[in-house]
Amino acid sequence: MNRAETTQRRGGRGLRPAAPLEIDAGDASYVDEDDRTVSKSILLVSFFQIALTSFFYTVVIPTSRQYAESLDAPDNFQAYMVGAAALGGAFMNPVYRWLLSKSFAGTMHFQLVCMQVGSLLYALAQVADKIELLIVGRLVGGCGSSVYPIYQYIAEEVGKNHRSEVISMISGFGKSFGFALGPIFAACLAYVDFNIGKLEVDKETNPGWTVAILCLLQTILVVWVFPRHGSRLIGKPKAEPDLPQTSAPVTLKERMLHLGCIGFLVANIAVANAFISAWQLAATNVVQLKFQWSIQWSAVLVGGVSFTPAFVSPALGRLTRSKPNIFQDRGIVLWTAALQLCTSALLFDYGASTLAAVAYIVGGLLVFNCFTVLVMFSLSLATKISTVTEVDKTMSVIGLTTILRALGFVLGTYLSMNALAATFAAGSLAMLICTLLLHSRLKPM
């Protein structure tokens, strides 16, 4: 029985491998054909899932400070309110692993319910006049806002020849779409203001209601399209004779270097994600307080910058299938780290003049794209240099690193412009040095 037939019997739709796999999906057997891929309908739903998790993160940012102040919250409370979502996602990682071993679609339903309930609690905090509900709502919603389940699905179902392109499309474009749509939606919803009895729908609570409605629509798509079978790697025996183990390092030194390369790529992803969160919150505060922009225009700026990787990441993803080494995953990671280091200089505080504002916006545009590209291609490379038996563990650890998003929001709130720019530069320099040192070993297996 080939894999396509097995998936249809289990309720999945649209899976179409490039070559038939002579395995049974109920076995622990797993073969990593380089040209394997999935249908466009599944990729589209995966894209929407990632976009929705990113939207959940950013739709509250433009109004988080005002919402916290309306409930008499302490200064800088918005950093903890926004960042709580990252803690929820990281803590749920063991639950995700168990759910993924049962059903990919079931895991996505769990995520959507968490985001929906959390968003409703966030919106109702105003009626209850409780700042605790803001934190609880973000924590509960954050339990469903992890991208780990989708990444695990791609790592298992998409071959190495297509993986960089697929990740850059559904994650690079999806994240950018969600990050951009969140602030822009918040700006538009700032004009929606009405009461239903004691329930007030305004710019502070609109993000919660919007996410809850979008989760309902995504649930319909998951039921209709997404495969219901579980992971073929998580919780399965690893000693099967037909698993391709020939690429695994054989000596202790090789093994340590191999694990060091994976660890570096995971750290790359974690730090870049933290920097993304830091910039989003810091830029919102800087343009509102230093450059005196309105909520609407600050949201448009952050949203517009956040959307630009939607074009950059897929374009680079397509180039990874070409021959020049500069366009391979490790080449892109290397040159992106170098560009990121250089452009961090534009984010320092040069005053409140128009020229300083332009420099800050251009710097944010370039640095944000570098952060996003580093996440995408470090992720793709991590799955490619991992052996088959390491893929699920690598993806699980990457899922845990989302906790650093919370640290990013705190850094973006508490650090001054100069301190944050210096932090970006230091992190970028460390990434560049490590990439240079490990460059020869960052090759797909």
Side-chain angles (χ1 to χ4, degrees):
M1 180 188 302
N2 64 37
R3 187 180 230 162
E5 293 169 349
T6 302
T7 306
Q8 291 294 337
R9 291 189 181 190
R10 290 188 174 213
R13 301 182 184 182
L15 192 63
R16 50 173 184 82
L21 305 179
E22 297 300 327
I23 63 171
D24 187 278
D27 295 338
S29 302
Y30 179 81
V31 181
D32 191 5
E33 278 94 354
D34 289 348
D35 285 322
R36 191 172 66 258
T37 187
V38 295
S39 70
K40 291 181 180 178
S41 59
I42 292 177
L43 292 179
L44 187 63
V45 175
S46 300
F47 161 81
F48 283 136
Q49 188 81 1
I50 288 181
L52 185 55
T53 60
S54 301
F55 182 87
F56 172 81
Y57 269 107
T58 60
V59 70
V60 303
I61 289 178
T63 57
S64 59
R65 180 171 55 85
Q66 291 83 355
Y67 199 180
E69 290 173 353
S70 71
L71 298 179
D72 298 323
D75 292 340
N76 299 318
F77 185 78
Q78 73 269 21
Y80 309 103
M81 182 174 78
V82 177
L87 298 178
F91 290 153
M92 293 304 292
N93 213 59
V95 177
Y96 280 137
R97 284 182 61 79
W98 180 80
L99 288 172
L100 286 169
S101 69
K102 306 299 179 184
S103 171
F104 283 111
T107 305
M108 292 172 71
H109 285 306
F110 173 80
Q111 290 184 272
L112 292 167
V113 168
C114 288
M115 283 192 286
Q116 196 167 40
V117 172
S119 297
L120 290 175
L121 291 174
Y122 178 87
L124 292 172
Q126 188 182 71
V127 177
D129 196 23
K130 298 286 185 182
I131 62 173
E132 294 82 2
L133 270 185
L134 292 178
I135 295 292
V136 172
R138 294 293 291 174
L139 277 171
V140 172
C143 290
S145 62
S146 174
V147 294
Y148 163 47
I150 294 295
Y151 285 166
Q152 180 68 34
Y153 178 78
I154 294 170
E156 292 190 27
E157 302 295 339
V158 179
K160 292 179 181 178
N161 287 344
H162 299 281
R163 199 173 298 158
S164 297
E165 187 175 357
V166 168
I167 288 176
S168 63
M169 281 294 297
I170 72 163
S171 186
F173 189 81
K175 273 190 172 183
S176 301
F177 185 75
F179 282 153
L181 198 62
I184 292 173
F185 240 74
C188 296
L189 293 173
Y191 298 103
V192 178
D193 192 348
F194 61 91
N195 293 342
I196 303 176
K198 293 185 177 181
L199 185 64
E200 186 174 351
V201 179
D202 56 18
K203 64 179 181 294
E204 282 90 15
T205 61
N206 278 327
W209 304 119
T210 302
V211 172
I213 294 171
L214 292 177
C215 285
L216 180 61
L217 298 176
Q218 176 68 355
T219 297
I220 297 172
L221 291 177
V222 173
V223 171
W224 182 33
V225 172
F226 216 78
R228 295 172 179 83
H229 67 77
S231 169
R232 296 175 177 85
L233 294 179
I234 297 175
K236 305 298 189 296
K238 304 300 183 187
E240 293 293 322
D242 55 349
L243 283 174
Q245 299 289 349
T246 55
S247 298
V250 290
T251 67
L252 178 60
K253 180 181 178 181
E254 289 175 345
R255 180 67 178 164
M256 295 303 294
L257 287 171
H258 172 70
L259 292 177
C261 289
I262 295 176
F264 160 66
L265 291 171
V266 171
N268 239 16
I269 295 167
V271 172
N273 272 326
F275 284 175
I276 287 173
S277 299
W279 181 86
Q280 286 173 323
L281 201 54
T284 301
N285 290 333
V286 166
V287 297
Q288 285 183 7
L289 301 177
K290 187 176 185 64
F291 299 126
Q292 299 298 308
W293 288 27
S294 66
I295 291 176
Q296 289 81 3
W297 282 111
S298 68
V300 170
L301 170 66
V302 174
V305 169
S306 299
F307 190 57
T308 53
F311 305 100
V312 176
S313 294
L316 291 175
R318 287 184 176 275
L319 291 176
T320 57
R321 300 181 66 181
S322 61
K323 293 296 182 183
N325 186 60
I326 190 175
F327 295 131
Q328 300 308 303
D329 293 327
R330 61 177 181 164
I332 292 174
V333 170
L334 175 64
W335 289 106
T336 300
L339 178 61
Q340 183 176 289
L341 174 61
C342 296
T343 53
S344 296
L346 295 173
L347 298 181
F348 284 91
D349 189 351
Y350 298 111
S353 66
T354 302
L355 184 60
V358 171
Y360 186 81
I361 293 170
V362 172
L365 174 67
L366 295 173
V367 167
F368 189 86
N369 275 276
C370 289
F371 294 155
T372 307
V373 168
L374 273 176
V375 171
M376 297 302 102
F377 291 93
S378 295
L379 172 67
S380 175
L381 192 53
T383 67
K384 291 179 181 180
I385 70 171
S386 298
T387 63
V388 171
T389 57
E390 293 170 339
V391 169
D392 64 311
K393 295 176 184 177
T394 300
M395 301 310 295
S396 179
V397 174
I398 290 173
L400 282 171
T401 63
T402 57
I403 196 171
L404 287 184
R405 281 188 175 277
L407 176 61
F409 288 122
V410 172
L411 292 176
T413 299
Y414 283 94
L415 293 185
S416 65
M417 287 177 66
N418 289 335
L420 188 61
T423 301
F424 287 168
S428 302
L429 180 60
M431 291 178 186
L432 178 59
I433 293 172
C434 291
T435 306
L436 286 169
L437 292 174
L438 298 173
H439 190 262
S440 62
R441 292 187 169 272
L442 296 176
K443 294 180 181 179
M445 292 231 173

